[in-house]
């Protein structure tokens, strides 16, 4: 058994495996588009080869310009018998090949809202999760996926807050303040790994690297001129997204999250957005309710497998 990166000569086999979509995120259209944009690269994909034939494949996603990928988008098997041992060997090798200072990887599944009613999907998810758990990806976070479209109608634009641009250091500070008591699992993991200050700096750097315009970011102030929160309208390869928004601890409980989301939605709509997407953890009930109040509709679930918090 040999484990190696993919090469151009493998593409016919890679494409045939991708067509066996199962619970994998990748489609042929997405693969071609993301290779062209730099989100997928041969040096980020790994295969298990036996007797000259590819038996398993893992496809990783990463940001263009980065030196290593961030998340697993697809895990495929072309052999016979139990795929878990082969996938485990493949993932262990791929994870061990990452630089020591690389951000811990994750495995993302994009599922229909009623995925638990589909036995085939449940089984496909289970066997991939077993392989992921063998390399330490035992933390499970389910995230509700929401979207807004113009036909859903714009929420009422808030009037009790004033929104202002600010420099990166101001956003580092507010990211740090908002992270206190956050209900977001990914935020908690990053704070456990890096500490609040460094985690905030990584968030700012990550959002700056996204296709969304940095000039869209806003701090929010109340009528007394006191900072109450912020929002980061953004975009990814799929289009406009609710990047991040939050209220500082001392101003929570006033419904201000609704004001932030409404203003962000208006701002992206003014850029011509035909669709805005967003995720929030199952446990973040206030955020989920805010999406629903502002006219967003739930359309899917994202399951994230990650290393547990330290």
């Amino acid at each position: 058994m040999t484990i190696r990166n993919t090469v151009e000569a493998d593409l016919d086999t890679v494409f045939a495996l991708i067509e066996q979509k199962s619970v994998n995120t990748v489609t042929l259209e997405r693969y071609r588009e993301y290779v062209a944009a730099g989100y997928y690269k041969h040096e980020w994909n790994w295969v298990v080869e036996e007797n000259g034939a590819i038996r398993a494949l893992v496809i990783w996603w990463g940001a263009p310009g980065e030196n290593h990928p961030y998340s697993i988008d697809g895990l495929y098997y072309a052999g016979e018998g139990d795929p878990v041992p082969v996938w485990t060997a493949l993932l262990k090798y791929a994870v061990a090949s990452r630089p020591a200072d690389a951000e811990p990887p994750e495995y993302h599944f994009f599922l229909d809202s009623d995925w638990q009613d589909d036995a085939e999907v449940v089984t496909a998810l289970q066997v991939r999760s077993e392989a992921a758990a063998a390399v330490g990806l035992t933390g499970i976070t389910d995230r509700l996926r929401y979207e807004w479209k113009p036909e859903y109608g714009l929420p009422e634009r808030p009037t009790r807050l004033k929104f202002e641009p600010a420099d990166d250091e101001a956003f580092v500070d507010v990211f740090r303040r908002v992270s206190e008591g956050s209900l977001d699992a990914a935020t908690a993991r990053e704070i456990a790994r890096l500490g609040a200050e460094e985690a905030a700096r990584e968030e700012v750097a990550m959002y700056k690297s996204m296709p969304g315009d940095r000039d869209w970011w806003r701090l929010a102030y109340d009528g007394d001129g006191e900072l109450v929160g912020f929002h980061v309208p953004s975009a990814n390869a799929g289009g406009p997204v609710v990047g991040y928004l939050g209220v500082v601890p001392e101003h929570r409980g006033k419904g201000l999250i609704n004001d932030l989301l409404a203003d962000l939605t208006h701002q992206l709509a003014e850029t011509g957005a035909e669709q805005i997407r967003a995720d929030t953890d199952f446990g973040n009930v206030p955020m989920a309710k805010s999406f629903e109040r502002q006219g967003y509709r739930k359309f899917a679930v994202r399951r994230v497998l990650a290393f547990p918090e330290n």
Side-chain angles (χ1 to χ4, degrees):
M1 184 176 73
T2 302
I3 298 177
R4 61 170 176 81
N5 292 116
T6 58
V7 295
E8 287 293 311
D10 297 326
L11 285 180
D12 285 346
T13 302
V14 169
F15 290 165
L17 289 171
I18 289 173
E19 287 184 319
Q20 302 171 16
K21 186 174 184 302
S22 185
V23 293
N24 296 302
T25 301
V26 192
T27 63
L28 288 177
E29 180 181 9
R30 176 186 173 102
Y31 185 85
R32 293 187 177 100
E33 178 185 342
Y34 278 26
V35 166
Y39 295 101
Y40 293 155
K41 301 177 182 180
H42 282 306
E43 58 264 37
W44 291 350
N45 298 333
W46 299 85
V47 294
V48 170
E49 189 175 59
E50 292 180 332
N51 300 320
I54 291 175
R55 298 304 184 198
L57 164 70
V58 60
I59 295 176
W60 292 72
W61 175 94
E66 294 292 332
N67 295 323
H68 54 81
Y70 173 65
S71 63
I72 300 165
D73 263 7
L75 198 55
Y76 305 84
Y77 187 61
E80 297 180 356
D82 185 1
V84 174
V86 179
W87 281 341
T88 298
L90 179 60
L91 291 180
K92 283 183 176 178
Y93 191 94
V95 170
S97 299
R98 295 166 60 81
D101 60 348
E103 188 173 355
E106 297 181 345
Y107 192 169
H108 291 225
F109 300 92
F110 295 84
L111 308 166
D112 292 336
S113 295
D114 59 353
W115 67 269
Q116 291 172 311
D117 297 329
D118 188 325
E120 184 176 337
V121 169
V122 171
T123 299
L125 184 61
Q126 180 180 352
V127 293
R128 286 165 174 81
S129 298
E130 287 178 19
V135 300
L137 297 173
T138 57
I140 300 175
T141 302
D142 285 335
R143 297 177 62 82
L144 299 170
R145 306 204 70 208
Y146 287 92
E147 67 181 357
W148 175 89
K149 295 180 179 181
E151 57 263 35
Y152 299 165
L154 277 167
E156 183 178 352
R157 195 153 201 171
T159 58
R160 61 174 169 167
L161 299 181
K162 184 178 181 181
F163 294 88
E164 298 285 353
D167 63 20
D168 287 355
E169 284 302 310
F171 277 98
V172 168
D173 181 64
V174 75
F175 262 106
R176 179 187 57 77
R177 292 174 63 183
V178 165
S179 70
E180 181 182 338
S182 173
L183 297 175
D184 184 83
T187 298
R189 284 195 298 269
E190 288 304 286
I191 291 173
R193 182 173 71 93
L194 299 169
E197 174 77 17
E198 189 58 32
R201 292 192 179 279
E202 282 213 354
E203 289 279 9
V204 168
M206 186 272 290
Y207 283 108
K208 285 182 68 176
S209 73
M210 292 176 66
D213 194 330
R214 169 63 178 84
D215 291 340
W216 296 343
W217 302 11
R218 294 291 184 269
L219 299 183
Y221 299 87
D222 64 15
D224 296 325
E226 188 171 349
L227 178 67
V228 300
F230 76 113
H231 65 57
V232 176
S234 194
N236 59 24
V241 296
V242 176
Y244 206 103
L245 70 165
V247 177
V248 296
E250 59 269 32
H251 285 283
R252 289 173 184 160
K254 303 175 182 178
L256 294 174
I257 198 72
N258 300 316
D259 299 58
L260 297 176
L261 180 57
D263 189 79
L264 181 152
T265 305
H266 274 268
Q267 196 170 332
L268 285 176
E270 288 167 2
T271 71
E274 292 298 317
Q275 175 182 276
I276 304 169
R277 288 191 165 176
D279 289 4
T280 192
D281 290 358
F282 265 70
N284 195 344
V285 176
M287 191 70 251
K289 288 184 176 179
S290 183
F291 280 124
E292 291 162 9
R293 289 191 194 101
Q294 306 310 311
Y296 285 70
R297 300 183 185 180
K298 185 175 69 174
F299 73 96
V301 171
R302 182 204 299 255
R303 170 161 289 192
V304 180
L305 305 183
F307 288 103
E309 299 169 31
N310 295 328

